[in-house]
Structures are given as C-alpha cells and as structure tokens.
Amino acid sequence: VAGAFIHDCEVVVTMDDEGTEIRGGSILIEDGTIAWVGNGEPPGGTTDAKRVDGRGAVAIPGLVNTHHHLYQAMTRVRAQDQGLFGWLAALYPIWAGVDADWERAAAAVGLAELALSGCTTSTDHHYVFPPGVPGLLEAEIDSARELGIRFHPCRGSMDLGQRNGGLPPDSVIQDTDAVLAETEEAVGRFHDPRPGAMLRVAVAPCSPFSATDRLMRESAELARRLGVRLHTHIAETLDEESFCVERFGRRPLELLEDQGWLGPDVWLAHCVHLSGDDIRRMAETGTAVASCPTSNLRLGSGVAPLRPLIDAGATVGLGVDGSASNDGANLLGEVRMAMLTARVRDRVSDARAMSVREALRLGTRGGAACLGRAGELGSLEPGKRGDVALFSVDGLGFAGAEADPVAAVVLCSPPRVRDLFVDGRAVVRDGRLANAEEEALARDGHRVARRIADRAGGTGE
Ligand SMILES: [Zn+2]
C-alpha cells in the first residue's frame, strides 16, 4: 500500500556517500522502503505503486528536524528584544499555563509548518509539565500521527527552580523522582525500537540552569538502561557559561562530560560557545550537535562553530528550535541560514566555509545521525525508508536559476514543498497537507493563542 513511483524528477539528490545527483531521475518506494533509484523504469517494473510525476521538481531526502519546542508556537513574537535568560523569564509564567488543548493545537501548527518546508522527521523537546496537567505528550504524539510525520518526542524536565538557584519559577518545575518515574513510563508506553519506527522517545532534562546535578546524572543512567537517546540544551549563551562556572566551577560542556553525558547516544542543542577542547571532545565521543542558527541569532546568542565541528569529525544536524525564538518552523530555511551564518562566523568572512550541498547534508544525513537513524533516514538509497521531499523549481522564485536547480532550492527564497512522502505515504500533495485541513489547524491555533494572550497580555517587553 505504501508505495510510490516518483518519476522523471528534474534532479534526484540521493545524498549518498558520493553525493550522487541524478538528472531526470526516478525513485521507487515499496512497502515503505526505497526499492530503486535511477533513470528510466526500474528493472522489475513498478507493480501497483502510485505514479507521481516529478517533472519540474528537485527530489531530496526528507529533512530531519533535530530540535523543537512545539508548544512555543502559541507564544510567538514575545520578548522580542531579550537574550535567552530575559526571554525565558518573560515566557516561563505564560508557559506555566500549558495544557493538552494548547499542546495539541501548537503541535499541529508546528508540525504542519515543518512538513510544508520538506521535513519528514521531527523531534520535540517538551519540558514544561505543570503539576496535575495530563495528556501533554499524548497530544503532540496524536498530532504527529494525524499528519503522518515521523516523530521523536523527548520527555523533557526541569527540577531546579528559583528557590534553589535555578532560572525557572518554582511553579514550572517538577520533583526529581516524579520526573524520572514519568520519563520511564513515557518510554515504556510510546517508544518503538523497531526498524522503520514512526515514534521514538528520548530522555531530555532541559538545561544546566533548570536541571539539578542529580537529574542530569540519573537521566543519563535511565536512558542507557532503557536503550533510548539523550538530549539537552548546552553552551547556548555566555550567560549560561557564567552560570555554570559560578555554580559548578566548570564550563558547560565540561560539566556535561563530568555528569556522564557525552557519547554516541547523545545529541545536544545549540553548542554555540565551545572551546577548541570542547569541539575535540564532541568529535572524540561521537556526541552530536543540533544547531539552530535562526534562534541563536534571534536571541543574540551567537553563531555556532559548524565548520570547526565538521572538520573535527563531529556529527551536526539542524533544528528550527521553538517558534517563540525563530518564529517560524521552516526547516529548509534553516538549511539556508546554517550555510549563510557559517560563512561569517567570528567575523572571518569566507564563502567557502560551507557549500550549499554541505548545508543540505546537515539537514538530511546529519539530522538522521543525531536521532540515531543514520542507517534508515537521510538519503535516497535502496533499503532506506521512503521519506522524500519534492520541491518545484519552475515557479517565479526560480526563474533564472536553471544553472543549478539543486542549489536553487537552498539559495533562492525557501519554497513550500510540492510533495512530501513518509514511508512512501503522502503527507503533502501539490503543496497541501494530505491528511489534515490547513485552514482548520490555523483556526485552532489562533483560537488557543487568543486564549493564552487574554491571560498573559502584551508581548513581554
Ligand atoms: Zn531549545
């Protein structure tokens, strides 16, 4: 049933090890898996696969979003001129009101935006669990299922409140034992370790300034006992670095290493402020980076050292981050932003610092590796899952870009995806969501956001 024959594409960008691109190429997906990629008709025919005309479109592996906070979609454009700590202080009290209705609407909006930008797999990092509010993880998992997107929610947590020297108000933190018990329960209920899984869960205490040393250490032990991945924020701002040095006598990445965190089962959001030693340790331990360039610029955090990380051999993927600091969820736009910012890091302008195709590789294979899915996702090769994004390159924004249609997808204004497939099933068809009504999701998002705004007021300036 989950079969498609996407034929006669302008270019198929396989993103294989050699970077093979096939002019006029076609892709056959059978039983959710890529069966063949090449020119013309597959040797064994296309059986009953649904035929999709790829003419005028560039096919790339579905983009993988490695960092997000979906609930934040309902609190965009607030604290517009604040750095991370001021921004968080303005938003925590509003986020304390999160409930399942909010979460469901926000996840539907955020995941739909991602899908329409070419994203087939997304993670989420939900870390606000107000006491007595049920159904938050369930709500976002339901939204992902309805849309048909592959989903890796992280069970986030905060247990270090203001009373004990943390940044968040005590109203949004949880008891450490409760966090660990609920996280284990969430993994037991939702995590699917099987190949081709549509749903996997990770363990994800929030940050050094909102999680205790005990929570960090025991979260790592829990994740390893359960065989799931570990995620957190680290080295996002210089304020965070000062906090870690003052409280723990260590810089953020040293602290994480001391807490037993670095390893090939870990991916870390941001990593903007890394020393040369930090970069070396990331690469040596196989710890991956989820880089979120737009959010880092919006909050004035800085530009992550992507070129040095990649040169050292570290794994790098891309994330849009929550929509309270982006304030959109366009992952193709993030590929473009990663390429642009890599070229101006540390005021050393070098147009060779990152190529278009290298940026695309971060958004596809890099992301797949961050989520532990390098063997299944991130390239269009036989045996990989049938996750494909098709971008039309015959519209207005691409007139004149005929010299390199693949580069056009990254260099020109980020277009809406034309067709999107997950396991060969349509998630977007002709620029429209295949499994939901976009206008209804937008209406519901505006309804929930108005309810939040009525309570919160202002923009938090
Ligand atoms: Zn984040």
Side-chain angles (χ1 to χ4, degrees), residues 187-242:
V187 172
R189 270 182 74 190
F190 300 118
H191 180 73
D192 179 359
R194 293 172 298 180
M198 289 292 290
L199 183 63
R200 287 202 181 152
V201 179
V203 176
C206 188
S207 67
F209 50 84
S210 63
T212 61
D213 185 64
R214 184 188 153 215
L215 179 60
M216 294 301 289
R217 288 176 193 280
E218 295 193 17
S219 291
E221 287 163 15
L222 177 69
R224 282 161 185 152
R225 177 161 62 78
L226 300 177
V228 300
R229 297 179 79 76
L230 265 173
H231 182 55
T232 192
H233 296 98
I234 204 74
E236 182 172 359
T237 65
L238 291 172
D239 285 345
E240 176 198 325
E241 188 168 302
S242 304

